[in-house]
Amino acid sequence: MATVADVVAWADRRYPPKLAEDWDAPGLSVGDPRRVVRHVRFAVDPTIAVAREAIAAGADMLITHHPLMLRGVTTVAANTAQGAVVHTLIGNGCALFAAHTNADAVDGGVAEALALAIGMNVEGPLVPVEPGSVDGTGRIGTIAPTSLREFAARVAAVLPATAGGVLFAGNPDGMVTSVAVVGGSGGSFIGDAVSSGVDAFVTADLRHHPATDAREAAALTDGKPYLVSVSHSASESLWLEGAAGELAQALDVTTSVSTLNTDPWTGHAPSTI
Ligand SMILES: [Zn+2]
């Protein structure tokens, strides 16, 4: 029978903590390592709804992509948002573990799941942890030639539905054959996408000024890379099924994946353009 400690050991082998960014806080945040685990739920965000859903599914352990507590916390009182999650989990005997930037970076991790889902032939990380490494931030690769308009539609089709959908910047009829992806907030990697020479860069949370600067610079050449902006949580959710399957193979536990959409935006009013 597996324990919380056994699942943690599996996760630390599969998603080595040394691959996490310095600012990150992956690992076990709630739970007793000695407790037996029969069912593990996977989700992107440890929201209260996700915690309740995991408990309703009979989970003894919840593995999320995002840590519940990333910065200094001085209280887990039940009338705070994070505290409510902690109390709900502890009260129902459910542990919480996060595999975050370490899960982004690994071979077969979050970035790779996104790349494969949108049909890329993956060549390697956009930013390897060291030259030649199979681990690192984002992925670059190729796709069968398609227009930017069709490529954005394909990305929208493979991601879970969100209110914001998918935005793109560039000539809709421009051709895309090479792509860089970074799951989640990849705005700080625009420069790497430009240097890699890809036709399109797919990521989430792109801010006005970096995106504008990149488009202005692209306009001086061939207009590339085009930018494709997706939902943060949706872009990371494609990893969950594979991770759940790997854990169920490795240990004597059953696994399942949250059905909740944790994108914070709930409505969309299209502009007339
Ligand atoms: Zn994220």
Side-chain angles (χ1 to χ4, degrees):
M1 223 177 266
T3 62
V4 170
D6 294 330
V7 178
V8 170
W10 169 81
D12 284 349
R13 279 196 304 277
R14 185 65 187 88
Y15 310 108
K18 70 174 195 286
L19 291 177
E21 302 282 349
D22 294 340
W23 49 263
D24 202 3
L28 189 68
S29 56
V30 175
D32 182 340
R34 298 165 299 183
R35 287 280 294 259
V36 168
V37 174
R38 294 182 180 81
H39 188 70
V40 181
R41 190 78 160 180
F42 282 75
V44 173
D45 291 291
T47 63
I48 189 69
V50 166
R52 289 180 181 139
E53 183 203 36
I55 289 157
D60 316 287
M61 189 162 180
L62 175 60
I63 295 181
T64 60
H65 184 48
H66 293 140
L68 176 65
M69 294 168 283
L70 195 54
R71 297 191 173 81
V73 172
T74 56
T75 173
V76 287
N79 61 349
T80 64
Q82 290 167 323
V85 174
V86 171
H87 280 259
T88 298
L89 291 170
I90 292 175
N92 291 278
C94 187
L96 176 63
F97 180 93
H100 193 206
T101 51
N102 44 332
D104 287 325
V106 295
D107 192 26
V110 177
E112 195 142 327
L114 173 61
L116 294 174
I118 62 179
M120 285 169 60
N121 269 317
V122 177
E123 289 166 0
L126 175 62
V127 183
V129 290
E130 55 195 40
S133 172
V134 295
D135 300 325
T137 301
R139 292 294 182 270
I140 55 173
T142 56
I143 57 168
T146 184
S147 69
L148 174 59
R149 179 193 286 110
E150 288 166 353
F151 176 64
R154 180 195 301 177
V155 173
V158 301
L159 290 174
T162 52
V166 170
L167 296 170
F168 63 82
N171 176 2
D173 298 316
M175 293 307 288
V176 177
T177 59
S178 57
V179 177
V181 300
V182 174
S185 299
S188 58
F189 299 99
I190 284 187
D192 298 291
V194 171
S195 313
S196 73
V198 292
D199 298 324
F201 178 43
V202 180
T203 194
D205 300 337
L206 285 170
R207 292 183 298 118
H208 173 84
H209 290 296
T212 301
D213 290 349
R215 295 307 303 148
E216 289 290 284
L220 297 175
T221 58
D222 60 355
K224 297 177 179 177
Y226 305 132
L227 301 178
V228 179
S229 176
V230 298
S231 153
H232 183 132
S233 56
S235 72
E236 296 171 331
S237 67
L238 300 168
W239 159 74
L240 301 172
E241 285 287 351
E246 286 183 39
L247 174 57
Q249 289 277 318
L251 295 181
D252 184 20
V253 294
T254 57
T255 60
S256 61
V257 173
S258 173
T259 61
L260 297 175
N261 169 8
T262 52
D263 189 271
W265 307 110
T266 59
H268 174 81
S271 305
T272 305
I273 55 172

